[in-house]
Structure formats: C-alpha cells, structure tokens
Amino acid sequence: MNEIENKHRRTVLLMGIALILCILSSFTLGRYPVSLSELLGVLGSKLGLPIESFWTGSVEAAVWNIRLPRVILSVLVGACLAAAGGAYQGVFQNPMASPDILGASAGAGFGAALAILLGASSMGITIGAFAASLLTVALVFTVSRHARGDRVLGLVLAGIMISSLFQSGTSFLKLVADPNNQLPQITYWLMGSLSGAAWGDIGFVLLPMLCGLIPLLLLRWQLNVITMGDDEARAMGVDPRKIRLWIAVASTLVTASAVSVSGMIGWVGLVIPHMMRRLVGSDYRYLMPASMLGGGIFLLVVDNVSRNATTAGIPIGILTAFIGAPFFLWLITGKGDHYEH
C-alpha cells in the first residue's frame, strides 16, 4: 500500500512540475514571442527586483497585461471545474456528474445574457453571471428540500428542472436581443472564452475560488468515506448529509466563480476527473489535487491552442467539446475503465 501511495504522490508532484512548465511555455507562444529571459526579467522587475530593462515596452505589455492574467485565469478556471466535477461525481455517486449538475452554469448564462441586454460593462457581466449562478443553486437547494423521497435524487432532479428553466430564459433573452450587437456578444459569451482576461477578473474571483478549493482539499478524506455509503460513513463518525452539503456549497462556489469569468466551458469537469482516476485511482486524497492540477494543465493547453490557431481565436467551449464528446462516447460504450467508488 505504501508503494502505491508513494507512486500516487510522485504522480501528483510530476503533474505540478508539468503545470509549471506549461505556464512558462505559454508565454513563448503567440503573435509576439517572448523568451524565457524576457519573461523572468519582466516578472522580476514587477516584483521589485533591481533588474535593468533589456526588453521592449511591447514585450512588457504583452507579458504583464495580456498573457499573465489569461494564463492565471486558465489555470484557476480549469482547476475549479475539474475539482467541482470530481467532487460531484463522488457526492452523487454518478460518473456522469459535472459542475453544472445543480444549474450553476445555466444560471450564469442567464445572468450574463441579462447583463449584456442591460448594457453592462465587462465587469458588470461577470458580476451578473456570478450572482445569477449562486441564486440558481440556492433555488435548487430550496426546491429540493420539499422533494419527497431520496434527498440526493431530489437535489439532482431539482437541478435539472431549474437548469431547464434558466436555459429557456436565456433563449428568450437571445430572442429579444439586438441581432447586430447584443446577440453576437451573448452567443460568444456562451461559447466560453478567456480572450478578455484582465487583472480585475482575477481580483473578483480569486477569493471565492480559494474559499471553495481549500474546503474541497480539506474534505477529501471525508469524501472518501461517504463514497462507501451512508451507513459506513456514520459508523466511522462522519455525517454524510453535512459533508455532502459542505462539498456541494464549495463546488458551487468554484463553479460559479469559474463560469462568471470564462463563460460556458463544458466537459472539463467530466473528462479530467476520469482521466485522473486512470493515473491515481479513486482515492480522493490524491484524486482531488490531481484533478485540480490536471484541470489547470488541460485548460491552459486548450487556451493556447485557442489563441494561436487563428487570428481571432477559437472559443474554448468549442475545443473542449471536440475533446470531451469523443471521450464521453468512449466512456459509455464500456471501452474505458469502469467507474469505481
């Protein structure tokens, strides 16, 4: 057992190193290539180190104002979506669970569309998406409390119902939007993109993301216990209802934060946890940090492809669907590993 655990620890460590390498290489890609020495020089000078400038102003602007915020957001959004997906799959004992199972993404889409329709700024759209996402999940929890029968099943069904309601609302907003200005903006936001990433976005979502990711890391031992069943969890002194609630709240918080700044990016929360299970197994002590790192790597690579494939850039949601849909088919046809609790 110790040998297996050491192997999983090494895997997580190697993934952390891979993430750092991906981050560094991301700065060298683009229409304005930046060397590693220029990157370190710009970052060092911004941190207050006495480094004499040997780079141009355009390089400094590209690194600090454009690429660094986008790289940071890519990693954070990928980590949040993958962590939420892995947590939901454990909580609901469902291999097909994803971060939008409780309607967070549908609510964010409605909130962003409404903000665009009202002529809000970029930050206003982010705030609208975040607030509507949290409101949607709160409504799901309220409805599920009055559901009869199994509470977990009632929560999932309430999520499906409320999601459908808000998706209909988004469709109505698209119908009444200005087809020359507002409709294209709504459509592009719903496709998912990090092209407008800015330091203000990071400042807005960093705290709620950390408030969600840290509890998910701390509760990964309890998550292991509740995947064995409620009776076993109670026998080991763990309250499964309380743990599910905390994990659902934390997962909702990170999902709402991620979607509010990135738009609708699907498949990350479904695909990455399954990929990580093939590497570290179903033990959440290693699966949760591996999912966070894997999600950050995956979305960062996809975003690099997105911004370099064409001049205008390809929405991330399109690229993740190209990868996620074939994986989903591979999974449900039984050719992939069976899901284990």
Side-chain angles (χ1 to χ4, degrees):
M1 179 62 69
N2 289 334
E3 183 178 350
I4 295 176
E5 291 183 352
N6 288 334
K7 178 183 176 182
H8 294 338
R9 290 193 185 99
R10 287 195 297 269
T11 300
V12 173
L13 177 60
L14 289 174
M15 291 184 63
I17 296 173
L19 177 59
I20 294 173
L21 294 177
C22 286
I23 290 173
L24 294 176
S25 63
S26 296
F27 287 94
T28 65
L29 303 174
R31 298 172 63 184
Y32 300 99
V34 178
S35 67
L36 183 59
S37 60
E38 289 175 328
L39 168 63
L40 297 178
V42 171
L43 295 181
S45 67
K46 291 295 183 180
L47 294 175
L49 298 179
I51 301 176
E52 185 176 352
S53 176
F54 58 88
W55 54 86
T56 64
S58 60
V59 168
E60 181 172 342
V63 169
W64 189 255
N65 297 326
I66 300 174
R67 292 186 189 170
L68 186 56
R70 185 162 181 169
V71 166
I72 292 175
L73 271 186
S74 297
V75 174
L76 288 175
V77 170
C80 286
L81 293 178
Y88 280 139
Q89 288 166 15
V91 165
F92 296 115
Q93 301 289 283
N94 186 345
M96 295 300 132
S98 61
D100 56 359
I101 192 172
L102 297 184
S105 296
F110 177 81
L114 182 60
I116 292 172
L117 201 67
L118 296 176
S121 64
S122 176
M123 181 55 66
I125 295 170
T126 299
I127 295 173
F130 181 75
S133 182
L134 294 181
L135 179 63
T136 302
V137 178
L139 185 58
V140 169
F141 274 103
T142 301
V143 172
S144 67
R145 290 179 60 187
H146 300 282
R148 298 179 180 179
D150 184 79
R151 286 292 181 87
V152 174
L153 179 60
L155 190 62
V156 173
L157 293 177
I160 294 173
M161 185 265 294
I162 299 298
S163 292
S164 178
L165 181 64
F166 276 89
Q167 286 169 359
S168 299
T170 303
S171 297
F172 175 76
L173 293 179
K174 291 170 68 176
L175 179 66
V176 300
D178 178 6
N180 297 319
N181 183 21
Q182 296 172 331
L183 182 58
Q185 188 177 358
I186 293 173
T187 302
Y188 188 79
W189 192 95
L190 293 175
M191 290 181 183
S193 176
L194 292 167
S195 61
W199 287 110
D201 297 322
I202 297 175
F204 178 74
V205 299
L206 183 60
L207 182 59
M209 282 181 172
L210 292 178
C211 289
L213 289 176
I214 292 174
L216 288 178
L217 279 174
L218 296 178
L219 292 173
R220 62 189 190 274
W221 284 274
Q222 290 88 336
L223 187 54
N224 268 339
V225 174
I226 66 174
T227 57
M228 297 187 295
D230 288 4
D231 293 337
E232 289 81 357
R234 294 189 187 95
M236 298 180 69
V238 174
D239 185 346
R241 291 181 60 184
K242 183 180 294 186
I243 295 301
R244 284 196 182 96
L245 177 62
W246 278 108
I247 290 176
V249 169
S251 299
T252 296
L253 191 58
V254 297
T255 302
S257 304
V259 176
S260 67
V261 292
S262 68
M264 309 283 275
I265 299 178
W267 299 101
V268 178
L270 174 63
V271 171
I272 298 303
H274 283 291
M275 286 184 174
M276 295 304 104
R277 282 189 180 89
R278 295 174 63 88
L279 293 177
V280 300
S282 297
D283 188 339
Y284 275 91
R285 291 180 300 168
Y286 309 105
L287 179 59
M288 186 58 68
S291 294
M292 292 180 183
L293 292 170
I297 293 172
F298 175 76
L299 201 61
L300 184 56
V301 171
V302 171
D303 186 53
N304 286 333
V305 175
S306 168
R307 66 185 175 87
N308 289 286
T310 64
T311 304
I314 303 174
I316 297 179
I318 295 176
L319 295 176
T320 55
F322 271 124
I323 298 172
F327 182 85
F328 180 81
L329 293 175
W330 175 71
L331 189 68
I332 64 175
T333 53
K335 293 182 173 60
D337 288 352
H338 292 291
Y339 180 77
E340 297 178 355
H341 302 311

